[in-house]
Amino acid sequence: MHFIITDAWLARSRAIHLSGPRLLLALAGLSLALMLSAALLYHWVFLKGAREGWPVVGTLVRLIVKDEFEQRDRYLRENLDALARRLGEMQAKLVQLEALGERVSGLAGLNPAEIKATPGRGGALVSGRPLSMDELNGTLAELDAMADHGVDLLTVVESRLFDQKVRRMMIPTQHPVDGSLGSAFGWRIDPFTGRSALHTGLDFEAQPGTPILAASGGVVVAQELHPAYGQMIEIDHGNGLVTRYAHASRLWVRKGDLVKRGQKIAEVGSTGRSTGPHLHFEVLVQGVPQDPQKFLKAGAEVAAAPAAGGGVRGQPAARR
């Protein structure tokens, strides 16, 4: 392509020859220059119109700005809603953790108020940069995982502590009657024959009608009139552990009843092979008589331990 440029003043002419690549390059440069000029003119017109309040330009600017603000507000609302949901889930888990902590501390014999006390903190302030949205979401995710782990851990601990508490509650450590110890476990002179005989339990001297209490929770497996034991009750505490209460004047429970620790099950009497009103108390493990004093002493020691530290009130100690 040829271009001829003439100059009337100098009476000269000049010919320019453009090949295909040069022509395309020239057109591209011209198009770029026009685009930049149009963009600069558009920017200048809008800025000037917005500053000076031109009717049409000002309206367009307000519409564009309004749309941008609406999009930004929509984005912020969506992110705030998502954060609110995450925070709500975290609050629910923290409440669950607090409730679990109180139950676990109660099972462990600790004071929940001491655990909930805020530790002292302080130090110089070293400001950091604000967290980005991604960093904030990452931090919330880590806290969420830590809360889940804490809930799982406390649930396992609560289950173990509750199981141990149930096992302790099934051991006959409650003093069965308010009376003094008359005859201990072991070999003695039988009051009827005058010969040496094994005494398989403890005899507690008490007035007729004195309440007889269950040494631990369990199921009544025997409630009968026995030739030697008289009015008798046997309670199964599980794991082959049975307690026997003999020579009662009156029975308050029946075979198959569930009883709690410390519940009144009978009244002291002198039925059966007895020389006077008292309670004959036995502890059998797999059918073999054991010394009940071992269980009653263990209960007294457990009750005295928290009392010495100013803690929970325990069961009364066995009377000698």
Side-chain angles (χ1 to χ4, degrees), residues 106-125:
L107 289 172
L110 301 176
N111 187 0
E114 296 177 357
I115 299 176
K116 294 169 63 177
T118 304
R121 297 176 181 177
L125 175 62

Side-chain angles (χ1 to χ4, degrees), residues 168 171-176 215 261 292-309 312-320:
R168 288 196 302 268
I171 298 175
T173 55
Q174 166 75 44
H175 204 67
R261 174 191 297 271
Q293 286 279 41
K294 296 187 297 184
F295 297 91
L296 298 180
K297 286 180 179 179
E301 291 174 358
V302 171
V312 183
R313 180 183 177 185
Q315 302 292 344
R319 294 180 60 184
R320 296 290 185 268

Side-chain angles (χ1 to χ4, degrees), residues 13-14 16 31 52 81 92 130 133 178 183 214 219 242 250 253 274:
S13 62
R14 185 177 181 182
I16 300 175
S31 300
E52 297 182 2
D81 290 341
M133 186 63 67
D178 185 11
S183 183
V219 181
V242 176
R250 185 179 179 185
V253 293
S274 171

Side-chain angles (χ1 to χ4, degrees), residues 121-137:
R121 297 176 181 177
L125 175 62
V126 181
S127 302
R129 61 180 180 81
L131 291 176
S132 66
M133 186 63 67
D134 292 337
E135 291 174 334
L136 182 59
N137 286 327

Side-chain angles (χ1 to χ4, degrees), residues 32-33 79 121 125 136 143 152 181 214 216 253:
L32 182 60
N79 283 276
R121 297 176 181 177
L125 175 62
L136 182 59
L143 291 175
D152 294 339
L181 181 61
S216 184
V253 293

